[in-house]
Amino acid sequence: MSSITVQAPAKVNLSLRIVGRRPDGYHLLDSLMVPVSLCDALTIAVSRGQPELVVTCDDPAVPGGETNLAYKAAALLCGETGVQAEISIALRKLIPAGAGLGGGSSDAAAVLKGLNELLSLRLAEDQLCSLAARLGADVPFFIPCRPATVAGIGEILTPVPPLPSRWLVIVVPPFGVSTPWAYHRFDELPPPEMPPADVPRRRLTHPWDAALLINDLERAVFPEYPQIERIKAHLLRLGAEGALMSGSGSAVFGVFQSCTTAEQSATALAGQGKTFVVEPLTGPPTIV
């Protein structure tokens, strides 16, 4: 038997604009996504024997069987490459589910990359991204796993220059937000104002500028979940340069220049839910 452990980072959206909708109902995005140092860990083991796929998770709230996205990723890869083996995946969850941090998508991408390495399949990054797109809109981002603008329904990735150093405080209240519900509620609202044409360019040169931290889904989510809006306001009162809901929520992050200030703010917000002090990542964690 051979095994490896793969880290699966969370992500935050420094911006999330919804710029259209396809006839099939998928929303078209203009987003800036950044992986961060809050990670799940997946231990993947492969051995000879009767073909079998088993996924377990240490979080009872996360299903470990065929409905788990990590399971679907392994099944898809094996089906596409003709691999027949006994595969077990043990998932240790640190990224809260239903928080807009991409944990399930990152787990799926980690399985694709981990099995590609473990089985010496030699699939190129673009091949892995193609498989990832069949699993979910956020999954392709986690294949290269570096800061990027995201367009289309999540499959068009453009790497961005290195971001200035910052610390992020992520606050996850004790409830999740359904992504389909958030987008459906957004569709019921008047169309958002589109930003000036130079915003995408300024966003790349000043990624932490509070005026450029925009999430169109906040308009849909805040009225139903006012606690998320209150957490955002609290982060700003504690000295965050900017704050924003990530994805469809419920997580909110604040941007800090100082690690000490970030840690103090996380302590002050501990009563609001789970808090994490993280750094943006410049690339994927090492597979060990």
Side-chain angles (χ1 to χ4, degrees), residues 20 31-32 46 57 73 84 86 88 93 107 111 120 124 170 181 196 219 239 241:
S31 184
L32 174 57
V46 175
C57 182
Q84 293 191 337
E86 187 176 345
S88 67
K93 286 293 292 181
D107 295 341
V111 168
S120 301
I170 298 175
W181 173 86
R219 292 193 306 133
E241 291 180 70

Side-chain angles (χ1 to χ4, degrees), residues 116-161:
N116 188 47
E117 175 85 11
L118 196 55
L119 298 169
S120 301
L121 297 174
R122 296 185 175 84
L123 296 178
E125 188 174 277
D126 61 341
Q127 293 174 291
L128 292 173
C129 283
S130 179
L131 291 174
R134 294 164 59 180
L135 294 164
D138 281 347
V139 184
F141 168 78
F142 290 105
I143 297 296
C145 200
R146 58 181 59 92
T149 58
V150 180
I153 62 169
E155 82 284 11
I156 303 172
L157 305 173
T158 305
V160 301

Side-chain angles (χ1 to χ4, degrees), residues 2 4 7 19 29 41 65 97 99 122 125 145 150 158 161 167 175 180 189 211 218 227 236 243 280:
S2 55
I4 56 172
Q7 301 294 314
V19 297
L29 308 177
R122 296 185 175 84
E125 188 174 277
C145 200
V150 180
T158 305
W167 295 88
F175 55 84
L189 300 174
E218 287 186 342
Q227 184 178 345
L236 294 170

Side-chain angles (χ1 to χ4, degrees), residues 159-211:
V160 301
L163 305 182
S165 176
R166 290 295 188 275
W167 295 88
L168 305 182
V169 175
I170 298 175
V171 184
V172 183
F175 55 84
V177 174
S178 163
T179 298
W181 173 86
Y183 277 93
H184 178 72
R185 183 72 187 96
F186 172 85
D187 290 337
E188 296 174 340
L189 300 174
E193 265 188 46
M194 283 296 104
D198 67 334
V199 163
R201 176 178 52 80
R202 288 195 292 122
R203 194 174 61 194
L204 297 183
T205 54
H206 300 85
W208 306 116
D209 188 332

Side-chain angles (χ1 to χ4, degrees), residues 35-100:
V36 297
S37 57
L38 170 64
C39 300
D40 291 342
L42 297 93
T43 299
I44 306 171
V46 175
S47 59
R48 295 179 180 176
Q50 193 71 17
E52 185 181 21
L53 174 56
V54 176
V55 176
T56 58
C57 182
D58 65 352
D59 183 347
V62 177
E66 296 181 12
T67 58
N68 188 293
L69 204 53
Y71 185 104
K72 294 179 180 180
L76 175 63
L77 186 70
C78 290
E80 290 296 310
T81 59
V83 167
Q84 293 191 337
E86 187 176 345
I87 300 173
S88 67
I89 300 171
L91 173 55
R92 285 172 289 166
K93 286 293 292 181
L94 283 179
I95 305 170

